[in-house]
Amino acid sequence: MIHPAKPINEKERLNALNSIELLKGISEEEFDNITKLASYICKTPISLITLVEEEKNWFKSNHGGPPITESERKYSHCGHAILEPHDLMEVEDMRKDLRFRDNPFTTNPELPILYYAGMPLIDNEGFALGTLCVLDTKINKLNDEQKTALKTLAKQVEKLFELRRKNLYLEKIKQQLDDHNSLLKDFAGVVSHDMKMPLANMIITADLLKVRYKDAVDEKGQELLLNLKKSALKLSDYINGILNHYESDRIVASEEVEFDLHHLLEDIIDLLNINDNCEINFPQENMFLKCNRSALEQIFINLINNSIKYNNKEKIVIDIESSMDENYYHFTVTDNGIGIPEDQLSNIFKLFKTLYITDRQGNQGNGIGLSTVKKLVESLNGKISVSSVLGENTSFKFDIKRA
């Protein structure tokens, strides 16, 4: 018997094998189907997908063989086969081959392995990781069609290996992105919370200075203090927007409950403290919902608040419509506001993307609110769209998945 030699690139080959991270001892249908087909085509009782490790062989798939998951590499047929990575190795009678004639598998009185044909499995860098092989307990010989079929099946195994490698790579990239986003989220949260108190102090201090030193500060000084307060308030709104955006994940995680739409909208109107110059028309028919109330509430708060802020009409009118089908709840929020330029409609849901227009108080938006709305809608397995006529109206349509 001759023990198989080690390939000259053995270290790199083992690294390539380990990089696939195949699960040992766990049957996987896509591999088992290939070994079943190989045995059927080659008319052999045994077929294996064998991976050659440093000291052991282990079987990713074992069709018809003894109920074992590994064997010693020094007795390996596949260890010899991978030395010629591009050729199919066939041994018609193990007893006549110096490498195998006194091999324990050959001399096994209960289940002697007398025939072997194995095609090396090559990765995309050219390393032979193992073989797809067929074995028999009697002398055998494959015809040309069977050899071609075995090589073709080996290519399918190689594609499965490469698919596994790519999936692992994508999973690692996704995990890195998730970790990175988590760090950014934590950073934004910490910074935003830490900035809220100093900003509140700035706003209060500006008001105190205006009152306490109103006789000592001239008109220009009063104007500067007012600008200071406006800037602090704008930054405070910006920070609150960031916190709401990153806390939307927590909102989506809340439980689904049963409630009616009119009651929800009434609570929102009370919360926003809407003036008499704003008319909000509810859907004609109330609708009872079962979904994430907190998330839907946040969506409506943002949309209604935007409809009020970006409106230059003497009388603000907001129409809310609703319907449902077997799978979704559908909602529309339409206002008679300033509208959105057509070339800007595709940008309004992008985080920190502003339209460079001002609200009723002359302030410019921060590009966070509608991004948060889109994030919440999509988290509820829905979609949102917008249509607008500049100077006349804007309409947001969105749907969410029914529980």
Side-chain angles (χ1 to χ4, degrees):
M1 186 184 74
I2 300 174
H3 295 311
K6 299 286 181 72
I8 58 174
N9 58 5
E10 177 70 357
K11 181 178 179 181
E12 294 79 7
R13 189 192 70 81
L14 291 173
N15 288 337
L17 176 59
N18 292 330
S19 71
I20 304 177
E21 298 183 16
L22 291 167
L23 300 174
K24 291 186 178 182
I26 297 179
S27 177
E28 295 186 63
E29 184 178 4
E30 58 265 37
F31 294 109
D32 292 341
N33 287 339
I34 290 176
T35 52
K36 289 177 185 177
L37 189 56
S39 277
Y40 176 78
I41 292 173
C42 297
K43 302 187 184 306
T44 59
I46 301 171
S47 178
L48 306 171
I49 293 175
T50 305
L51 287 305
V52 181
E53 292 190 317
E54 187 172 9
E55 301 296 338
K56 300 274 189 179
N57 289 345
W58 64 275
F59 310 129
K60 183 56 196 169
S61 180
N62 180 347
H63 174 73
I68 57 175
T69 58
E70 63 180 34
S71 65
E72 296 289 334
R73 181 175 176 177
K74 62 184 178 181
Y75 301 131
S76 169
H77 308 91
C78 301
H80 289 279
I82 66 171
L83 298 176
E84 298 293 338
H86 301 290
D87 299 328
L88 187 147
M89 186 182 93
E90 184 178 33
V91 182
E92 298 175 18
D93 187 348
M94 295 287 182
R95 296 167 300 185
K96 296 180 179 180
D97 191 305
L98 289 175
R99 294 171 295 177
F100 307 112
R101 65 184 182 186
D102 54 351
N103 186 295
F105 290 108
T106 306
T107 59
N108 186 339
E110 297 181 1
L111 189 68
I113 301 299
L114 301 184
Y115 173 80
Y116 173 91
M119 185 63 203
L121 302 170
I122 312 300
D123 74 353
N124 61 341
E125 295 183 352
F127 297 115
L129 308 182
T131 69
L132 170 63
C133 59
V134 292
L135 303 96
D136 206 337
T137 56
K138 63 181 187 299
I139 298 171
N140 203 336
K141 181 177 176 61
L142 299 183
N143 59 38
D144 290 342
E145 289 80 6
Q146 289 172 321
K147 290 179 181 179
T148 299
L150 190 61
K151 292 177 181 180
T152 301
L153 290 174
K155 289 294 181 185
Q156 295 305 308
V157 178
E158 292 171 0
K159 289 179 180 180
L160 288 175
F161 286 174
E162 184 58 24
L163 181 62
R164 178 68 60 90
R165 189 195 309 278
K166 289 180 178 178
N167 285 340
L168 286 171
Y169 174 75
L170 291 175
E171 287 175 7
K172 290 177 181 177
I173 293 297
K174 181 180 181 300
Q175 186 60 52
Q176 290 173 2
L177 290 173
D178 288 344
D179 292 343
H180 184 62
N181 288 338
S182 180
L183 288 173
L184 287 175
K185 180 178 177 180
D186 292 342
F187 175 77
V190 170
V191 171
S192 298
H193 279 294
D194 289 350
M195 290 177 67
K196 288 185 74 172
M197 185 57 69
L199 277 172
N201 289 336
M202 288 173 61
I203 294 168
I204 293 172
T205 301
D207 285 336
L208 289 173
L209 287 172
K210 284 183 65 178
V211 173
R212 184 172 298 180
Y213 300 102
K214 63 180 179 178
D215 296 330
V217 178
D218 60 13
E219 183 177 347
K220 183 64 176 178
Q222 293 285 342
E223 182 181 346
L224 290 173
L225 287 173
L226 179 61
N227 289 338
L228 175 64
K229 180 180 178 180
K230 285 183 177 180
S231 296
L233 287 170
K234 183 176 182 180
L235 186 55
S236 180
D237 288 341
Y238 190 80
I239 289 170
N240 287 331
I242 292 176
L243 289 174
N244 289 335
H245 183 80
Y246 284 114
E247 287 177 359
S248 61
D249 292 336
R250 177 187 56 78
I251 294 173
V252 170
S254 59
E255 294 183 358
E256 296 174 337
V257 294
E258 293 184 354
F259 60 97
D260 73 78
L261 181 60
H262 282 189
H263 189 196
L264 172 69
L265 295 173
E266 288 167 358
D267 288 345
I268 292 173
I269 290 173
D270 291 340
L271 179 67
L272 294 177
N273 193 25
I274 294 173
N275 297 326
D276 293 337
N277 69 333
C278 179
E279 176 184 316
I280 299 182
N281 299 313
F282 289 7
Q284 289 186 354
E285 294 186 10
N286 196 6
M287 191 164 69
F288 287 85
L289 314 172
K290 184 176 181 181
C291 63
N292 187 319
R293 189 184 193 279
S294 298
L296 185 60
E297 180 181 52
Q298 191 63 47
I299 292 168
F300 273 118
I301 286 173
N302 277 281
L303 294 179
I304 294 172
N305 199 34
N306 269 14
S307 294
I308 296 171
K309 288 170 60 178
Y310 297 99
N311 197 307
N312 57 1
K313 306 299 193 298
E314 183 176 346
K315 180 74 171 182
I316 299 171
V317 179
I318 302 171
D319 295 318
I320 300 173
E321 299 175 4
S322 65
S323 64
M324 70 173 119
D325 57 31
E326 185 178 353
N327 298 312
Y328 289 93
Y329 299 115
H330 305 278
F331 305 97
T332 303
V333 178
T334 304
D335 63 55
N336 64 337
I338 61 178
I340 303 169
E342 186 175 355
D343 61 350
Q344 295 293 326
L345 289 175
S346 60
N347 293 324
I348 64 169
F349 295 115
K350 295 179 180 178
L351 185 61
F352 302 128
K353 186 71 175 181
T354 61
L355 304 185
Y356 304 104
I357 56 178
T358 56
D359 61 18
R360 294 172 72 88
Q361 282 73 44
N363 298 317
Q364 187 175 306
N366 52 41
I368 301 176
L370 289 178
S371 172
T372 303
V373 167
K374 184 174 185 289
K375 184 179 179 184
L376 285 168
V377 170
E378 291 180 347
S379 296
L380 298 175
N381 299 310
K383 294 181 180 179
I384 186 168
S385 62
V386 60
S387 59
S388 184
V389 178
L390 191 61
E392 294 185 17
N393 60 62
T394 299
S395 182
F396 288 92
K397 294 183 178 182
F398 67 95
D399 50 62
I400 61 175
K401 188 78 171 177
R402 293 183 63 176

